[in-house]
């Protein structure tokens, strides 16, 4: 029997399978006063608050550069209705393929997906990282509307495969929208922007990772002290930087987040770099005196941003952000593209795994974590069978699949009772958990019938599943292995599919990963040599 090295691979996706969104019936909500502009619709607000009316007229007559100055100083921050009108004016001016027809599109999608006053469940959009939606100040009705808008965005923009900040943007913009359809239109403008001088959101994992690398480059230049602090603690610097955009669109308190939104809608992505660097510089001052007591810098930074009001006011944070002498937009774009090209050159892309392993069965997957733990899986079926739809992942595979550990201990885990195809008996009890030696792993023999179908099949169990965003091995009661799309991190849980405990310590970072194709041949040329 020969073995074919398919090569080392590398992650991203959520760690909890396929979460579902529940769209509730309206009459079950306890709705408080509306946060949109429809309340007080019979009131002439300009007479009650003439200053706001004067400011709004100035907004309408100002050019882009004047609006930038207004946004940075909080010109339309009060009252609520003034900011709402300002946002709609700014969003209308964004160069994009979005049109007012988006409103009709939303009503059509919502009617098709949700019906009228019916409870329904839908998979979380594929572009969301973990299924969490920032509540900010939304009530139950508002949170339900956010879910509906996100699901409609997912259907309207099927090419948006990774954008974890979209849920926060929808939640924030809903505060300043007349209804769901208007909020949907605003998001469509940010997704389909066409201005070559601006960038609003990353829409794939590749571009998100390139943006993270770009922020890391900027942080290393403008906040050098924090790099030394984290490096001295032996924690992963890139992992720390990977949260940078979520500091703004998940962790910042609402009143701070909307001040960032004021300038972000006008100036685009560069503002996010500025604000994240300002937060990082504040954090460096805070953490330097207590660094010896910080066990997890990522969590410590998250806590810091959530309580940033103890360290800086809104205005002071933005002043700090805009005092940073960043490179020009063209230079930032060049740096971003260079990082993206580097990722493509290294072939760190979420589809590479499948492109290398499809067409090969069985395969053996081996991985070593950053903690030097080694584990893996014997997978009986071709990954070309992977598939998923709106109802979730389609699991496949046979009872020949098993998982194992090699370090710190060597053990093999496989379902003890298998249903033989076409019979009511049980497979040989030798499939029960057994101590695994390296030699037994390499010489594992796969018995097949003449037609090529496996001798033992278990249709009721969940052995293998995946899409371009994530990969699962085992799915009953938990995942024996769950690898994120670029294969740099993963998670292991107790899994009933294989009757296995966690193969390594919970969530882990992957140090190296290999996949081997097992074929009945003494000499097979490698598909990939690295």
């Amino acid at each position: 029997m020969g073995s074919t090295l398919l090569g080392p691979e590398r992650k991203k996706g959520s760690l909890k399978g396929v979460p579902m969104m529940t769209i509730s019936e309206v009459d079950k909500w306890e709705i408080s006063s509306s946060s949109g502009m429809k309340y007080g619709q019979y009131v002439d607000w300009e007479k009650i608050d003439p200053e706001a009316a004067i400011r709004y007229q100035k907004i309408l007559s100002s050019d882009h550069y004047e609006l930038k100055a207004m946004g940075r100083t909080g010109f339309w921050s009060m009252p609520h209705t003034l900011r709402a009108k300002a946002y709609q004016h700014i969003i209308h001016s964004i160069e994009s393929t979005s049109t007012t027809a988006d409103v009709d599109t939303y009503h059509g999608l919502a009617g098709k997906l949700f019906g009228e006053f019916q409870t329904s469940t839908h998979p979380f959009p594929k572009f969301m990282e973990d299924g969490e939606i920032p509540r900010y100040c939304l009530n139950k009705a508002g949170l339900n509307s956010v879910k509906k808008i996100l699901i409609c965005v997912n259907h309207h923009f099927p090419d948006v495969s990774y954008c974890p900040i979209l849920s926060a943007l929808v939640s924030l913009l809903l505060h300043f929208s007349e209804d769901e359809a208007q909020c949907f239109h605003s998001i469509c403008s940010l997704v389909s922007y066409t201005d070559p001088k601006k960038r609003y959101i990353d829409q794939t994992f590749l571009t998100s990772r390139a943006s993270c690398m770009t922020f890391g480059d900027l942080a290393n230049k403008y906040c050098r002290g924090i790099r030394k602090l984290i490096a001295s603690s032996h924690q992963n610097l890139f992992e720390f930087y990977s949260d940078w955009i979520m500091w703004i669109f998940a962790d910042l308190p609402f009143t701070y987040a909307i001040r960032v939104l004021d300038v972000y809608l006008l100036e685009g992505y560069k503002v996010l770099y500025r604000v994240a660097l300002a937060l990082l510089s504040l954090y460096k001052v805070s953490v330097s005196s207590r660094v010896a007591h910080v066990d997890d810098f990522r969590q410590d930074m998250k806590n810091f941003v959530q309580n940033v009001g103890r360290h800086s006011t809104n205005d002071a944070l933005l002043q700090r952000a805009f005092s940073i002498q960043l490179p020009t937009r063209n230079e930032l774009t060049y740096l971003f593209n260079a990082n993206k090209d580097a990722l493509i050159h290294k072939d760190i892309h979420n589809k590479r795994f499948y492109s290398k392993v499809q067409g090969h069965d069985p395969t053996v997957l081996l991985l070593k974590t950053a903690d030097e733990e080694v584990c893996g899986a014997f997978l009986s079926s071709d990954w070309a069978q992977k598939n998923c739809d709106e109802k979730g992942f389609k699991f496949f595979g046979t009872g020949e699949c098993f998982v194992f550990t090699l370090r710190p201990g060597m053990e093999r885990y496989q379902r003890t009772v298998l249903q033989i195809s076409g019979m009511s008996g049980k497979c040989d009890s030798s499939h029960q958990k057994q101590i695994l030696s390296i030699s037994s792993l390499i010489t594992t023999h796969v018995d097949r019938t003449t037609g090529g179908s496996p001798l033992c099949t278990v249709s009721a169990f969940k052995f293998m599943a995946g899409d371009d965003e994530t990969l699962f091995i085992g799915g009953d009661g938990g995942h024996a292995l769950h690898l994120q799309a670029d294969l740099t991190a993963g998670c292991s849980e107790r899994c009933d599919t294989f009757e296995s405990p966690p193969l390594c310590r919970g969530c882990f970072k992957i140090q190296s990963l290999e996949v081997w194709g097992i074929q009945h041949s003494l000499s097979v040329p490698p598909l990939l040599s690295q």
Side-chain angles (χ1 to χ4, degrees):
M1 178 180 294
S3 59
T4 301
L5 176 61
L6 303 184
E9 299 290 342
R10 294 234 143 202
K11 147 185 171 192
K12 193 91 177 163
S14 73
L15 297 176
K16 295 189 179 291
V18 184
M20 303 293 288
M21 283 183 172
T22 300
I23 307 302
S24 308
E25 294 183 19
V26 175
D27 58 11
K28 291 185 179 179
W29 299 331
E30 296 179 1
I31 304 178
S32 59
S33 59
S34 170
S35 61
M37 291 190 290
K38 285 191 172 182
Y39 67 86
Q41 57 184 313
Y42 306 107
V43 177
D44 187 341
W45 288 100
E46 294 185 359
K47 291 184 178 179
I48 293 178
D49 191 352
E51 175 61 26
I54 294 171
R55 290 194 172 206
Y56 182 57
Q57 291 304 315
K58 187 172 182 180
I59 290 170
L60 295 179
S61 62
S62 298
D63 61 23
H64 180 71
Y65 293 99
E66 291 171 329
L67 287 174
K68 282 174 59 176
M70 292 178 185
R72 294 183 183 188
T73 58
F75 184 80
W76 52 72
S77 59
M78 291 295 288
H80 181 95
T81 50
L82 176 61
R83 181 179 253 130
K85 291 181 178 180
Y87 279 6
Q88 297 311 314
H89 173 69
I90 294 167
I91 290 170
H92 181 73
S93 66
I94 292 175
E95 296 180 25
S96 73
T97 58
S98 178
T99 67
T100 54
D102 291 332
V103 173
D104 295 330
T105 299
Y106 179 77
H107 289 308
L109 283 171
K112 177 182 177 181
L113 293 168
F114 315 121
E116 291 188 9
F117 311 116
Q118 295 180 358
T119 299
S120 58
T121 57
H122 306 265
F124 269 65
K126 60 184 179 181
F127 52 71
M128 294 179 66
E129 186 173 28
D130 52 23
E132 290 189 12
I133 300 174
R135 280 293 290 267
Y136 295 120
C137 303
L138 296 175
N139 56 28
K140 292 180 180 179
L143 181 62
N144 195 76
S145 293
V146 171
K147 294 177 181 179
K148 292 172 66 177
I149 295 167
L150 288 170
I151 292 169
C152 288
V153 168
N154 190 44
H155 281 76
H156 192 51
F157 295 104
D159 292 336
V160 179
S161 59
Y162 187 80
C163 186
I165 69 170
L166 263 184
S167 57
L169 287 173
V170 171
S171 295
L172 289 171
L173 287 171
L174 189 61
H175 288 75
F176 307 98
S177 301
E178 290 189 359
D179 53 26
E180 295 170 5
Q182 188 183 68
C183 184
F184 176 81
H185 167 67
S186 298
I187 292 297
C188 288
S189 298
L190 297 179
V191 172
S192 60
Y193 67 92
T194 57
D195 188 346
K197 297 180 181 179
K198 288 183 186 175
R199 186 161 60 96
Y200 281 101
I201 60 172
D202 293 312
Q203 301 180 22
T204 66
F205 185 76
L206 177 66
T207 56
S208 295
R209 192 170 177 88
S211 292
C212 181
M213 291 175 65
T214 303
F215 175 76
D217 293 334
L218 297 173
N220 290 339
K221 178 178 180 180
Y222 295 99
C223 300
R224 294 177 182 175
I226 194 68
R227 179 180 183 178
K228 293 180 180 179
L229 287 175
I230 296 176
S232 65
S233 69
H234 304 292
Q235 294 186 34
N236 189 286
L237 187 64
F238 184 83
E239 202 171 78
F240 175 81
Y241 288 154
S242 67
D243 295 333
W244 77 276
I245 202 166
M246 304 310 290
W247 300 339
I248 302 168
F249 288 123
D251 301 333
L252 268 183
F254 174 73
T255 54
Y256 285 74
I258 56 175
R259 287 288 283 117
V260 176
L261 194 63
D262 289 346
V263 285
Y264 165 74
L265 293 177
L266 281 164
E267 304 185 42
Y269 213 86
K270 187 175 180 179
V271 164
L272 304 184
Y273 285 140
R274 288 187 175 281
V275 175
L277 288 172
L279 289 169
L280 193 59
S281 65
L282 286 170
Y283 176 68
K284 183 180 70 173
V285 174
S286 166
V287 77
S288 58
S289 61
R290 53 185 179 83
V291 63
H293 305 288
V294 178
D295 296 324
D296 185 343
F297 279 97
R298 292 181 72 183
Q299 185 61 46
D300 194 61
M301 179 66 181
K302 180 182 180 72
N303 295 338
F304 174 85
V305 175
Q306 290 173 339
N307 297 281
V308 70
R310 300 175 183 174
H311 307 275
S312 175
T313 64
N314 246 325
D315 290 335
L317 178 64
L318 289 184
Q319 288 173 6
R320 179 182 288 263
F322 288 105
S323 68
I324 301 171
Q325 299 299 311
L326 282 185
T328 65
R329 283 185 196 278
N330 288 338
E331 291 170 335
L332 285 175
T333 299
Y334 179 86
L335 180 59
F336 167 79
N337 287 331
N339 283 323
K340 186 171 69 172
D341 290 343
L343 289 172
I344 294 173
H345 180 71
K346 293 179 180 178
D347 218 7
I348 302 176
H349 195 273
N350 55 10
K351 294 182 181 180
R352 185 179 182 235
F353 176 88
Y354 298 117
S355 70
K356 295 296 182 183
V357 302
Q358 285 179 0
H360 297 269
D361 70 284
T363 54
V364 174
L365 182 150
L366 288 166
L367 69 85
K368 180 167 70 173
T369 72
D371 294 326
E372 299 292 324
E373 298 169 301
V374 179
C375 61
F378 176 87
L379 305 170
S380 64
S381 302
D382 189 343
W383 279 104
Q385 299 180 47
K386 71 178 179 65
N387 189 22
C388 65
D389 55 25
E390 292 182 0
K391 295 181 180 179
F393 288 95
K394 299 292 187 182
F395 278 85
F396 60 99
T398 73
E400 297 164 333
C401 295
F402 62 85
V403 295
F404 57 86
T405 60
L406 294 178
R407 187 188 298 164
M410 292 192 293
E411 291 198 42
R412 166 178 168 173
Y413 302 94
Q414 188 171 17
R415 191 76 185 187
T416 56
V417 179
L418 302 179
Q419 185 71 31
I420 299 178
S421 179
M423 298 178 63
S424 60
K426 299 178 181 178
C427 290
D428 195 308
S429 61
S430 63
H431 286 290
Q432 63 186 311
K433 186 185 76 173
Q434 56 190 271
I435 299 299
L436 174 72
S437 67
I438 296 178
S439 61
S440 68
L441 171 63
I442 299 301
T443 59
T444 297
H445 181 68
V446 183
D447 293 320
R448 295 186 180 277
T449 63
T450 304
S453 60
L455 178 64
C456 297
T457 59
V458 184
S459 59
F461 295 125
K462 299 178 179 178
F463 294 105
M464 306 162 59
D467 63 4
D468 293 337
E469 300 299 322
T470 193
L471 181 153
F472 298 109
I473 298 172
D476 294 301
H479 304 299
L481 284 173
H482 176 191
L483 307 184
Q484 299 177 356
D486 69 352
L487 303 180
T488 61
C491 181
S492 181
E493 303 170 309
R494 179 174 183 81
C495 181
D496 294 339
T497 304
F498 304 107
E499 298 181 335
S500 60
L503 304 179
C504 47
R505 280 177 276 182
C507 296
F508 53 84
K509 184 165 182 66
I510 297 174
Q511 181 175 325
S512 61
L513 185 146
E514 296 179 354
V515 182
W516 292 73
I518 309 299
Q519 297 184 12
H520 294 276
S521 172
L522 294 177
S523 178
V524 181
L527 295 180
L528 177 67
S529 297
Q530 292 189 0

